[in-house]
Amino acid sequence: MRRTALAALLLTAWFPLSATAASVTVRSGETLSDIANRYGVSVGTLMRMNGIRNPDLVQAGSRLQVPGPTVTAGTGRHRVNSGETLSSIASRYQVRSRDLMALNNLRNANHVEVGQTLRLPSNAVMPRPAFKPVAVTPIPGATEHTVAKGQTLTQIAKAYKLPVASLISINQLSDPNKVEVGTRLYLTDPSFQTAITTQAQPATTKPVQAKAKPVQTKAVQTKAVQTKPVQAKKPVVKAKPVEAAKPKQTHAKSADWRTYGPLQVDWGNWQAMGGSQVVPTLNAQGQALYLAVNCSAKKINATGADGSWKTWEAPKSRFEKDLVKDRCQLKA
């Protein structure tokens, strides 16, 4: 009796139970080693805490002190799926495997049954519901799209059959992953129509106004000679200004992007200009430019970084030849 009292006194000094221990009940067939593995402690620690001399003599129904605070169950539950382990489930909810074992009376940390429902600790972090994107319904002939809640840039580009890089470039988006609800996205480059209109405006000439000076005649005092008035010269006829070539199409069609080498060509928005065909295009870096094809001369041209046209040249690369061929066959 004196030895038992002394052992209990020493255990109380080493492990203040009110702060660092919890109580568990030994189940039938359970060993001290099973309980130690469940709580991640050594068998020796459990023996010292509970004054056990022989680890093989643990009776079912007896209560043992184990390290750590008592684990309480929360409202969360998890149904075990195929391929899941106790460790992966614990990691998903950011809890310890030993806590899941204690709450669900699991003996083996390496074995959980598919379909089994596990109680989760009160400190479990529940994952957020999976994001469900909202479908994008494209509007035929639309040149703009207003972002709705749940829509992503990838969805919008796919719905209108545009490369994502085109939307980023046309709308100058700094962060394509953060497109706010209500944002109006251009589907075609708005500067294209401005450039077409500017280049197609006719040059105006000021009409020359002819000033006819009347001929002054001196009156003869001796004889009253009647003289016919000199008629003023006819004014110069105003010259009609020569109109520059205007594109035949005034409204942008729905985009139809086609790939030619490093270029993305908006095939649905060709414009007639000065005997050539002009189309909005994106280069490999996603920068907007304009491409022109002259079918009669079988030459090609493009705008540079400053927006001005380069020189006309015969197509050299394979994709340039294919582009000229495809466009001029349609015009033939």
Side-chain angles (χ1 to χ4, degrees), residues 131 133-140 142-168 170-171 173 175-188 254-255 257:
F131 174 75
V134 177
V136 180
T137 303
I139 302 174
T143 58
E144 295 180 2
H145 177 83
T146 302
V147 181
K149 185 177 181 180
Q151 292 181 346
T152 64
L153 198 67
T154 302
Q155 282 181 298
I156 297 170
K158 186 176 180 180
Y160 288 96
K161 298 180 180 180
L162 295 172
V164 177
S166 300
L167 286 182
I168 296 173
I170 292 171
N171 296 278
L173 301 177
D175 189 351
N177 296 321
K178 294 182 179 179
V179 182
E180 297 181 356
V181 176
T183 302
R184 294 174 61 188
L185 297 176
Y186 288 107
L187 304 177
T188 57
S254 57
W257 293 94

Side-chain angles (χ1 to χ4, degrees), residues 165-230:
S166 300
L167 286 182
I168 296 173
S169 176
I170 292 171
N171 296 278
Q172 299 181 356
L173 301 177
S174 57
D175 189 351
N177 296 321
K178 294 182 179 179
V179 182
E180 297 181 356
V181 176
T183 302
R184 294 174 61 188
L185 297 176
Y186 288 107
L187 304 177
T188 57
D189 191 350
S191 62
F192 175 68
Q193 290 298 326
T194 304
I196 293 294
T197 304
T198 303
Q199 295 184 22
Q201 285 180 350
T204 56
T205 57
K206 295 182 179 180
V208 179
Q209 295 181 352
K211 296 182 180 180
K213 295 183 179 180
V215 178
Q216 297 181 354
T217 57
K218 296 183 179 180
V220 181
Q221 296 181 356
T222 55
K223 267 187 182 179
V225 179
Q226 293 183 353
T227 59
K228 296 181 180 180
V230 179

Side-chain angles (χ1 to χ4, degrees), residues 272-296:
M273 182 186 296
S276 302
Q277 298 291 318
V278 180
V279 68
T281 308
L282 295 174
N283 61 16
Q285 289 74 38
Q287 298 172 333
L289 55 93
Y290 301 106
L291 191 70
V293 173
N294 190 305
C295 291
S296 60

